[in-house]
Amino acid sequence: MGRPREFDESQVLDAACAAFWTHGYEATSTRELVKVTGLTQPSLYNAFGDKRALFLRVIEHYLDRTLRERIARLEASASPGTAITAFFGEIVQRSLDDGDQRGCLMVNSALEATPEDETLRAAITAEFTQIRDFFLRCLEAGQRSGEILRTVAADVAAQHLLAVLLGLRVIARVHPEPDWLVGAVSPALTLLGLLPAAGRERPAAKQAAKQGAARA
């Protein structure tokens, strides 16, 4: 029987996540990971595998506490249209509160992944699919109930909302200004009937962001 681990796995993953999130996968050295986690290199790799395996564990840990938690909570507590609006409101507020402008670890990883890195690309694609499917479930249910307009087919709208989300997170890394972030989201939500018509969409989106801040 192996010896029990003498460290808190969640705390180690949090520390490694902060390092990868700040510096990116390639720029985060093993020496930095040893420093921030407080583990020796042999202990770190015996527990999690090599740097790539640790990185994949970190992404899972990060997603469980961010996107997956948000999707599960909103689907359980809000109507389909409100779930979509609140989802983007929380993302906008989270981006504005990110003083270090780190953006989204998953999106950053997607931008850093190379064509040869099939494992990372597959993991990110699977997560993007989960987000798209969340939008699709909300859109289909909202269109059936009349809460969401049928201006665009649900599957097309879901793919578009995913693209808006990814673009929003990239913008937030370089220019996290409210007007830029809200302006990126508002037209898509207005098209679906989730925000008032032109001229009032930005205040409404800002209100959604404020509501989301309480849950972020």
Side-chain angles (χ1 to χ4, degrees):
M1 181 181 296
R3 295 176 58 188
R5 292 182 179 179
E6 299 177 350
F7 60 87
D8 186 311
E9 181 176 303
S10 181
Q11 290 182 358
V12 169
L13 290 173
D14 283 341
C17 180
F20 284 127
W21 201 352
T22 299
H23 306 296
Y25 173 76
E26 291 295 341
T28 301
S29 65
T30 300
R31 178 180 298 179
E32 176 68 16
L33 292 170
V34 166
K35 176 182 177 182
V36 299
T37 62
L39 299 179
T40 64
Q41 181 175 332
S43 295
L44 189 65
Y45 285 175
N46 284 339
F48 299 102
D50 60 13
K51 177 182 171 182
R52 173 43 50 96
L54 173 60
F55 184 55
L56 292 173
R57 285 286 299 279
V58 162
I59 289 179
E60 286 293 310
H61 182 70
Y62 165 83
L63 291 172
D64 281 341
R65 296 184 169 202
T66 54
L67 280 168
R68 292 171 185 163
E69 182 279 330
R70 180 176 293 114
I71 287 172
R73 170 169 47 79
L74 291 176
E75 283 198 289
S77 62
S79 67
T82 301
I84 291 175
T85 304
F87 180 93
F88 278 104
E90 291 188 19
I91 294 295
V92 167
Q93 191 60 53
R94 187 178 178 88
S95 298
L96 294 175
D97 291 341
D98 180 11
D100 294 328
Q101 297 180 215
R102 296 181 299 176
C104 171
L105 177 62
M106 182 182 65
V107 175
N108 296 350
S109 301
L111 295 174
E112 193 173 6
T114 63
E116 295 79 19
D117 196 342
E118 295 183 3
T119 301
L120 178 58
R121 291 171 59 202
I124 293 171
T125 298
E127 194 59 34
F128 285 174
T129 300
Q130 289 187 37
I131 300 170
R132 184 201 61 190
D133 289 349
F134 158 67
F135 289 142
L136 181 58
R137 290 191 299 272
C138 290
L139 288 160
E140 289 178 337
Q143 288 182 346
R144 285 195 301 269
S145 69
E147 183 184 12
I148 297 175
L149 297 179
R150 295 178 179 270
T151 48
V152 182
D155 58 339
V156 176
Q159 198 72 30
H160 178 62
L161 290 178
L162 174 61
V164 170
L165 172 64
L166 300 182
L168 174 68
R169 293 305 256 158
V170 173
I171 291 171
R173 286 210 65 184
V174 295
H175 195 70
E177 296 296 325
D179 286 348
W180 279 54
L181 302 184
V182 173
V185 176
S186 294
L189 300 184
T190 301
L191 179 66
L192 299 171
L194 297 177
L195 290 181
R200 295 184 58 196
E201 63 268 30
R202 290 195 176 187
K206 288 179 180 178
Q207 181 62 31
K210 291 179 181 178
Q211 293 172 349
R215 307 183 183 95

